[in-house]
């Protein structure tokens, strides 16, 4: 059963991915092959806090609208789940999600907006009560993000002007928050 569709080539690496109940093989020159495990490693009922797409790790904006991605990491379709969340030392809040979440599917939940001060903050969220029952795997229920809101230095008033002519780039106390490398310095 496990060789269905597997090319007749050398397998460089074999791995069991328990999170999605798959056997994966890396083959030389043929890419990646995968197959379902004969006996699933997935729990029947398992809601997870899968990702936090907002806020980013560093921002200048004091208005933050958190976004959490939940995932059905189990076999049974999930129709409702509670997402508990809190910012810093504030009290826990609950968002009652309802919909249809098939096995391994995700849904994005946008939480209420916070107005925060420039400093470091921590947002924590966790899932519970999928289909009004007990979650069978609590190891993937919680997600936490610590992020920083940068403030305007009190000694600097806008507009801020920087010629970028120094040999140091970016300038001292500046950070480049741009993974696509859209900023560059020319030699002109």
């Amino acid at each position: 059963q496990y060789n269905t569709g597997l090319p007749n080539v050398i397998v460089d690496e074999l791995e069991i991915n328990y999170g999605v109940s798959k056997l994966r093989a890396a083959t030389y020159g043929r890419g990646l092959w995968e197959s379902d495990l004969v006996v699933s490693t997935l729990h029947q009922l398992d809601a997870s806090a899968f990702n936090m797409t907002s806020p980013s790790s560093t921002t200048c904006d004091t208005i933050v609208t958190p976004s959490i991605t939940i995932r059905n990491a189990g076999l049974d379709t999930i129709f409702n789940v509670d997402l508990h969340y809190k910012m810093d030392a504030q009290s826990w809040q609950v968002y009652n999600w309802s919909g249809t979440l098939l096995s391994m599917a995700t849904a994005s939940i946008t939480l209420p907006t916070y107005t925060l001060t420039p400093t470091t903050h921590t947002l924590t969220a966790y899932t519970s009560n999928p289909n009004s029952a007990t979650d069978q795997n609590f190891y993937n229920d919680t997600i936490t993000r610590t992020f920083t809101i940068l403030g305007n230095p009190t000694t600097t008033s806008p507009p801020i002007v920087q010629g970028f002519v120094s040999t140091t780039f970016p300038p001292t106390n500046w950070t480049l928050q741009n993974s696509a490398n859209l900023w560059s310095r020319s030699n002109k």
Side-chain angles (χ1 to χ4, degrees):
Q1 168 180 344
Y2 282 124
N3 65 353
T4 303
L6 178 65
N8 190 15
V9 295
I10 296 171
V11 173
D12 293 327
E13 185 176 341
L14 194 61
E15 177 181 294
I16 297 175
N17 188 326
Y18 293 100
V20 292
S21 196
K22 300 276 186 187
L23 174 66
R24 291 185 174 152
T27 60
Y28 183 76
R30 295 291 182 114
L32 185 68
W33 170 90
E34 73 177 12
S35 176
D36 292 328
L37 294 176
V38 173
V39 177
S40 176
T41 60
L42 301 178
H43 296 277
Q44 285 301 123
L45 196 54
D46 182 13
S48 73
F50 184 65
N51 192 16
M52 191 177 300
T53 56
S54 176
S56 60
S57 61
T58 305
T59 183
C60 295
D61 198 350
T62 58
I63 299 172
V64 174
T65 305
S67 180
I68 311 290
T69 303
I70 60 171
R71 180 175 79 167
N72 180 355
L75 296 170
D76 292 350
T77 299
I78 293 177
F79 298 101
N80 58 67
V81 66
D82 294 335
L83 180 68
H84 304 258
Y85 62 95
K86 76 172 187 166
M87 182 73 69
D88 298 327
Q90 296 179 10
S91 61
W92 285 101
Q93 305 293 316
V94 180
Y95 182 96
N96 304 109
W97 180 87
S98 63
T100 302
L101 201 55
L102 301 175
S103 181
M104 293 300 127
T106 61
S108 183
I109 297 174
T110 301
L111 299 175
T113 298
Y114 289 91
T115 301
L116 303 168
T117 58
T119 189
T120 300
H121 298 277
T122 301
L123 175 64
T124 303
Y126 70 91
T127 56
S128 71
N129 305 321
N131 292 344
S132 302
T134 301
D135 192 318
Q136 296 173 329
N137 178 14
F138 60 86
Y139 291 109
N140 60 5
D141 291 349
T142 304
I143 190 165
T144 300
R145 167 145 323 144
T146 299
F147 62 99
T148 303
I149 297 177
L150 302 173
N152 183 29
T154 56
T155 59
T156 308
S157 297
I160 297 173
V161 177
Q162 173 55 256
F164 298 108
V165 293
S166 166
T167 55
T168 304
F169 185 81
T172 304
N173 296 324
W174 285 51
T175 58
L176 181 60
Q177 298 292 323
N178 185 342
S179 62
N181 293 318
L182 296 176
W183 281 35
S184 63
R185 180 178 175 184
S186 72
N187 293 326
K188 295 180 183 181

